[in-house]
Amino acid sequence: MRDKYQQGPLLPRRALADIANEASQANTARSADQTHRHETPDQDEQDIQDQDTLVMPILKEMGLFLDTNPIATGPLISIDQFTAGPLLNFDQLETAMLPAIPSLRQSADARDADAEIDPADMATIRTPAIQAQPISPEEERVWEQSTIQLSAATPKLENYREVANKLIKSSGLYAIASLGGPAISLALTPFLAHNLTPSAYGEFAILVTVISLTAGVTQLGLGAAFFRAYNYDYTSDQDRRSVIASVSLLLGLITLAVTLCAMFFSSALSVLIFRQSGQGYLISLAAIAVLAQNLTIPGFAWLRAENRALFFSLLSMVNILLNFGANIVLVGVLGMGVAGAILAIIIGYAAVVVLITPPLVIVSRLRVRTTILWNVLSFGAPQVLSVISVWVLQLSDRYLLEIFGKLAEVASYSIAYSLGSTLSTLILAPFSLAWPTAMYTIAKRKDAPLVFQNVFRWFSMLLLFSAFGLSLVSNVAFRLLFPATYQSAAPVIPVVAESLAFYGIYTIVMIGSNVRRKTWMISAFTTIAAVVNFGFNLLLIPRYGAMGAAFSTLIAYVALAVIAYVANQRIYPIPFEVGRLFLACIAGVAIYFEIFSLPAYFGVSWTWPLAGFGLVFYGGLLVLMAKSAAASQGQVRPADAV
């Protein structure tokens, strides 16, 4: 304890002795000069002697605390050795009169001036006489008892159940819109199938793919960059306002410029897409739909970043309901065909823009900052290639089907694909809306790898079970709600559902690239998968048509998930249980195959009882596998700090 309190350097005794000698010599000189002015020199000499008598004992007493070394250290005294008690007033302390010692560096004039001053009249310093006294053992125990030891308070970490509950709650609220969307789309798709010819429905499917690609490219990854900037890079309210304003302005200007260019070159684009120039007006409508869709991105992103899932869901439902109602009027009543369907899309997004823009202006205060613009662009721009690659993965097969087949086959494949992608709208979409905010929050925890492991385990099991169940339900819906001319594409549904399950797994295993700011990996991996998809499309579509396109999609998504897993484990290791996932996937394929194979031996009436039993059995098997993995979970080395 005592060695923690260090004492500064003390003057050596020789230095004080020299000062005392020079002071004595100065006093002797002054007395010699004053002999001719004083009638009683003996009295002056007595005064000098009295002064020396006063000064020297004090210096000697000070010498008791000095060392003979040039730099004395002296005995160290612990601070708790000083006695404690009520403090006395300054004038109640014992004092000593110390004469002022003239400085050795004074000039000759100053010393002469000092010679006129009587030593008795010299300035003195009133100092309290404080003595350091050792304390008794009893007093030391009192000090120890009165000492308070404070420890650093660490933030309370949520357990896995609390993290899962928050993620499920956010996803559940977002699912309000996601559940409403598929339900209305399920009703809208057969409505359009009955009110549009197969060729017209094929044109509508191609335009939807064009809108999706153009919107993804013009967004420049600013949607994902918004979450990184808003939830991770910037924390103050002022900075976050600037993030909203900067992203909104940048996205609006870019999309407006692209929209005007598309409208100007609409005829040329019509020839490129439809191989005829008469559909230029549809290209212009599609460009306006892209503008309306992109203008909703900042508002929806802000609501998600603030975890205002309820308002997000309400706005999404406004969009969906207006889209559905406009389709009923424009396509069903007015008979506007494909143009009416595109106008319905524009009306839905435009309503959201009108509702969300005023709150955005109030919150952001239109404070645009160039540093934030560069931040979001540097993060989001590398993802443009990823958007193009995802478009090739998900939508390019329609265009290739049009080239190698007919628009009617494009229509059948699009309807089957939309039913198979119900997994995306029911599971992936709400999870993807809640996941960015949750992912960056989890990444700050010391036990982040364990939390991510648990999320992967249960989410992957949910994906497999949902793909299994939705494939069964979608087959029923396909046969009941759509004309017989489209039902030849029914086998596409389970293949597409399984493909999207692997895309959901890819979303989880890409944690490392997002946390480590290596977003170029997203573009690289999706580009590789897109090349694989495009190559297999060219190989399989001419031979197998729609089923060839479906299997090409499955192969590409499996490759995407595998490549992403291997690469991300190198930069952010997380113990994902891929072995259990593989076994669960094989079991699901085997059970699904048996459900539709056994009725050939027992009769068609056994199809749906077997489907129900298979669904329950597979669900129980997945839960058992997940719980057994959780029970055997060991310690995991924490990932490096972000």
Side-chain angles (χ1 to χ4, degrees):
M1 178 68 184
R2 296 182 180 182
D3 56 357
K4 294 183 180 179
Y5 299 93
Q6 298 181 357
Q7 187 175 8
L10 303 177
L11 293 176
R13 181 178 296 182
R14 289 196 300 273
L16 290 176
D18 293 341
I19 294 173
N21 291 333
E22 291 191 18
S24 177
Q25 293 174 6
N27 290 335
T28 303
R30 281 197 295 271
S31 68
D33 294 338
Q34 292 175 353
T35 51
H36 69 280
R37 292 183 305 207
H38 292 280
E39 297 178 356
T40 58
D42 295 336
Q43 182 65 33
D44 294 337
E45 184 67 21
Q46 183 64 32
D47 292 338
I48 294 173
Q49 293 177 358
D50 292 341
Q51 178 178 341
D52 292 340
T53 303
L54 179 63
V55 172
M56 295 308 296
I58 295 175
L59 294 177
K60 291 179 180 180
E61 290 293 325
M62 294 177 63
L64 295 175
F65 297 94
L66 302 175
D67 200 337
T68 57
N69 296 325
I71 302 297
T73 57
L76 296 177
I77 301 175
S78 175
I79 192 172
D80 57 4
Q81 290 182 351
F82 291 95
T83 56
L87 297 177
L88 299 176
N89 293 332
F90 186 83
D91 55 1
Q92 293 178 344
L93 298 174
E94 181 182 356
T95 60
M97 301 289 293
L98 298 179
I101 300 175
S103 173
L104 298 178
R105 293 181 175 85
Q106 286 181 319
S107 63
D109 295 336
R111 288 196 294 269
D112 293 341
D114 291 337
E116 303 294 334
I117 303 175
D118 190 88
D121 296 333
M122 289 184 179
T124 59
I125 303 173
R126 295 171 61 86
T127 61
I130 303 176
Q131 297 179 352
Q133 300 178 358
I135 62 175
S136 64
E138 292 76 9
E139 292 174 324
E140 186 174 0
R141 284 195 296 271
V142 172
W143 276 98
E144 292 176 355
Q145 293 175 0
S146 59
T147 301
I148 301 176
Q149 183 176 4
L150 299 178
S151 59
T154 57
K156 181 181 179 181
L157 292 178
E158 299 173 309
N159 58 34
Y160 303 149
R161 187 180 299 274
E162 291 173 342
V163 173
N165 287 338
K166 280 190 174 182
L167 186 58
I168 292 172
K169 181 179 178 181
S170 298
S171 300
L173 289 174
Y174 289 126
I176 295 175
S178 298
L179 287 173
I184 293 178
S185 297
L186 187 61
L188 186 60
T189 301
F191 170 80
L192 292 176
H194 285 283
N195 285 273
L196 297 176
T197 64
S199 298
Y201 195 95
E203 289 181 353
F204 175 71
I206 294 296
L207 284 174
V208 170
T209 63
V210 171
I211 292 173
S212 176
L213 174 62
T214 308
V217 172
T218 54
Q219 287 171 16
L220 293 177
L222 294 179
F226 180 92
F227 292 104
R228 172 80 191 199
Y230 196 89
N231 291 111
Y232 199 80
D233 294 334
Y234 301 98
T235 56
S236 67
D237 292 338
Q238 184 176 359
D239 289 341
R240 288 181 168 181
R241 293 191 190 101
S242 298
V243 171
I244 298 172
S246 302
V247 171
S248 300
L249 177 64
L250 183 61
L251 187 58
L253 292 177
I254 293 173
T255 309
L256 180 61
V258 172
T259 300
L260 293 176
C261 290
M263 295 176 68
F264 184 78
F265 295 102
S266 59
S267 297
L269 292 174
S270 176
V271 174
L272 178 64
I273 296 173
F274 297 111
R275 289 176 288 183
Q276 55 179 328
S277 61
Q279 309 297 330
Y281 71 101
L282 293 179
I283 301 297
S284 298
L285 290 176
I288 297 174
V290 170
L291 176 62
Q293 179 179 345
N294 282 4
L295 291 180
T296 65
I297 297 299
F300 279 137
W302 171 60
L303 293 176
R304 289 167 56 192
E306 291 290 337
N307 284 323
R308 300 185 180 183
L310 180 59
F311 293 102
F312 177 92
S313 299
L314 291 176
L315 282 178
S316 299
M317 291 303 299
V318 168
N319 176 22
I320 294 169
L321 291 175
L322 285 177
N323 186 0
F324 180 80
N327 269 290
I328 298 298
V329 174
L330 298 177
V331 178
V333 177
L334 300 179
M336 296 181 63
V338 178
I342 301 298
L343 280 174
I345 296 175
I346 297 174
I347 292 173
Y349 283 123
V352 175
V353 173
V354 172
L355 293 174
I356 197 62
T357 299
L360 278 184
V361 172
I362 295 173
V363 172
S364 67
R365 301 177 185 176
L366 301 179
R367 295 180 177 178
V368 179
R369 284 167 48 185
T370 55
T371 55
I372 293 179
L373 289 174
W374 174 250
N375 180 290
V376 295
L377 272 177
S378 62
F379 184 87
Q383 300 186 38
V384 173
L385 184 59
S386 173
V387 172
I388 298 174
S389 301
V390 171
W391 180 86
V392 173
L393 275 171
Q394 297 181 348
L395 302 172
S396 65
D397 45 11
R398 280 91 159 158
Y399 190 72
L400 292 175
L401 277 173
E402 180 195 7
I403 294 175
F404 294 110
K406 300 178 180 178
L407 284 174
E409 189 174 13
V410 174
S412 300
Y413 178 78
S414 298
I415 292 174
Y417 196 102
S418 65
L419 291 175
S421 62
T422 306
L423 173 68
S424 176
T425 51
L426 289 179
I427 306 297
L428 293 181
F431 179 83
S432 299
L433 293 174
W435 178 239
T437 302
M439 176 181 62
Y440 291 119
T441 301
I442 295 172
K444 297 178 182 179
R445 297 170 54 117
K446 292 183 178 180
D447 61 342
L450 288 176
V451 180
F452 286 135
Q453 182 190 46
N454 280 276
V455 172
F456 174 85
R457 178 189 303 130
W458 290 102
F459 185 64
S460 61
M461 297 301 175
L462 175 63
L463 286 175
L464 294 179
F465 178 75
S466 300
F468 188 94
L470 291 174
S471 297
L472 296 176
V473 174
S474 297
N475 269 286
V476 177
F478 198 30
R479 289 180 171 84
L480 294 178
L481 300 177
F482 292 89
T485 54
Y486 296 98
Q487 293 183 9
S488 60
V492 169
I493 296 175
V495 180
V496 172
E498 194 70 14
S499 302
L500 293 178
F502 277 97
Y503 182 74
I505 293 168
Y506 157 79
T507 302
I508 295 293
V509 300
M510 284 298 291
I511 293 170
S513 66
N514 288 285
V515 173
R516 302 300 191 197
R517 287 188 67 94
K518 297 182 181 296
T519 53
W520 60 267
M521 297 175 66
I522 301 175
S523 300
F525 299 156
T526 51
T527 300
I528 294 173
V531 171
V532 171
N533 177 260
F534 193 80
F536 275 96
N537 275 330
L538 292 177
L539 179 64
L540 299 180
I541 287 178
R543 298 181 180 181
Y544 305 104
M547 284 303 299
F551 277 109
S552 298
T553 302
L554 176 61
I555 294 171
Y557 277 128
V558 171
L560 178 65
V562 171
I563 295 171
Y565 168 76
V566 173
N568 279 266
Q569 287 298 99
R570 294 181 176 271
I571 62 174
Y572 195 82
I574 300 174
F576 294 132
E577 298 155 345
V578 294
R580 294 178 187 272
L581 173 66
F582 178 75
L583 292 177
C585 182
I586 295 298
V589 172
I591 295 172
Y592 191 90
F593 179 79
E594 291 298 328
I595 288 174
F596 290 96
S597 297
L598 291 178
Y601 302 96
F602 300 103
V604 179
S605 60
W606 282 88
T607 301
W608 300 116
L610 287 172
F613 174 78
L615 182 63
V616 173
F617 178 78
Y618 188 52
L621 178 63
L622 293 176
V623 172
L624 181 62
M625 294 179 68
K627 287 189 174 182
S628 63
S632 61
Q633 178 175 298
Q635 297 296 326
V636 181
R637 179 182 65 84
D640 298 332
V642 180

